[in-house]
Amino acid sequence: MDSLTLAAFAGRLGPVTVAHAVSPAVPKEATTRVRELARAENWTLHVIEAGEFADPDYLRNPLNRCYFCKSNLYARIQQVVPGLIAAGTNTDDLSEFRPGLLAARENRVVHPYVDAGLSKADLRQLSAEIGLGEIAELPAQPCLASRVETGIPIRADDLAFIHRVESTLREFTDIPDLRCRVTRSGIRLEAGGALPAAATARIAAMCRESGRIFAGVAAYRRGSAFVAPEPS
């Protein structure tokens, strides 16, 4: 929602060039949404390979994994669209652990929302006011790799499984905060409300069928996959 709203707002001021990165960490539905809006808004759209899966530092999934992801992303964008990059960071993001912001500084990425003092709630209002409809209400959907507990290597098959699980859960409930976490204990579901018993049973069966351990259900907690290393 953040980046789409930024591009749409910028498009009201003049021609817009948008870069959208694809990788195993990006659900295909997100790419479809970008393509559709690009056509509707008459953007110049570049769909590029994010490139992070060629980076061993990213794949080992350290606490600052997002730094390596964003470093690769901004380098790829600059290869295709030289010039200033504007990102959808908002003021709420500044209060969280965001190692990707260091990569942004190193690549001279600008943050118009931060400069304007706009929060996530402000962006939703802006999105609605400029006519983006359901996009204004999209739930937060960080990349699929954010569901993998720190220190567990990032694997494409794990990300595909996460996506299948979360897509299946949405067939049972409209709870906005739903996450499938890959943890050292196994596959854990997190939900911002009570999950139907049938949904839990279905995911448990999916885990068995794929040879994975089902570690149960917990309350949704933002950023719970980040695990700081024990002090030495």
Side-chain angles (χ1 to χ4, degrees):
M1 188 277 289
D2 304 359
S3 297
L4 291 177
T5 300
L6 180 63
F9 183 81
R12 305 299 191 269
L13 306 177
V16 169
T17 298
V18 173
H20 171 71
V22 295
S23 90
V26 179
K28 290 182 172 57
E29 297 90 335
T31 301
T32 298
R33 186 181 299 117
V34 171
R35 290 186 184 277
E36 290 174 349
L37 192 58
R39 285 193 293 269
E41 296 283 329
N42 198 32
W43 300 336
T44 298
L45 175 64
H46 295 274
V47 177
I48 62 176
E49 292 289 335
E52 77 274 38
F53 270 70
D55 185 346
D57 287 324
Y58 167 85
L59 294 177
R60 63 186 176 86
N61 193 21
L63 191 65
N64 63 339
R65 181 199 68 246
C66 291
Y67 169 79
F68 300 107
C69 175
K70 294 297 187 182
S71 294
N72 282 283
L73 173 62
Y74 296 139
R76 292 298 178 104
I77 291 175
Q78 288 170 341
Q79 289 172 5
V80 177
V81 190
L84 194 66
I85 299 172
T89 309
N90 64 75
T91 57
D92 290 353
D93 298 328
L94 303 182
S95 62
E96 301 174 352
F97 177 60
R98 294 269 178 164
L101 291 176
L102 174 58
R105 286 198 297 274
E106 292 176 350
N107 288 273
R108 299 181 181 179
V109 174
V110 298
H111 307 287
Y113 293 146
V114 174
D115 293 341
L118 299 181
S119 67
K120 187 79 168 186
D122 295 327
L123 304 193
R124 292 196 184 281
Q125 181 178 346
L126 174 63
S127 187
E129 288 179 355
I130 64 176
L132 295 188
E134 63 181 16
I135 288 174
E137 301 304 321
L138 286 175
Q141 281 294 331
C143 79
L144 296 174
S146 68
R147 277 74 152 168
V148 182
E149 193 172 85
T150 298
I152 298 176
I154 302 295
R155 300 183 352 174
D157 63 329
D158 283 343
L159 302 191
F161 184 76
I162 289 167
H163 186 233
R164 289 199 303 274
V165 167
E166 292 186 356
S167 297
T168 300
L169 287 173
R170 292 188 186 96
E171 297 173 6
F172 289 89
T173 179
D174 59 359
I175 296 172
D177 294 322
L178 290 172
R179 295 290 186 271
C180 169
R181 307 286 193 194
V182 175
T183 76
R184 287 167 177 77
S185 300
I187 299 297
R188 184 181 74 234
L189 304 181
E190 292 186 5
L195 282 178
T200 304
R202 179 68 188 108
I203 303 310
M206 289 174 64
C207 289
R208 288 194 300 272
E209 292 162 5
S210 65
R212 300 169 189 268
I213 297 171
F214 180 58
V217 183
Y220 169 74
R221 183 164 61 86
R222 191 171 183 175
S224 65
F226 283 109
V227 179
E230 293 291 334
S232 56

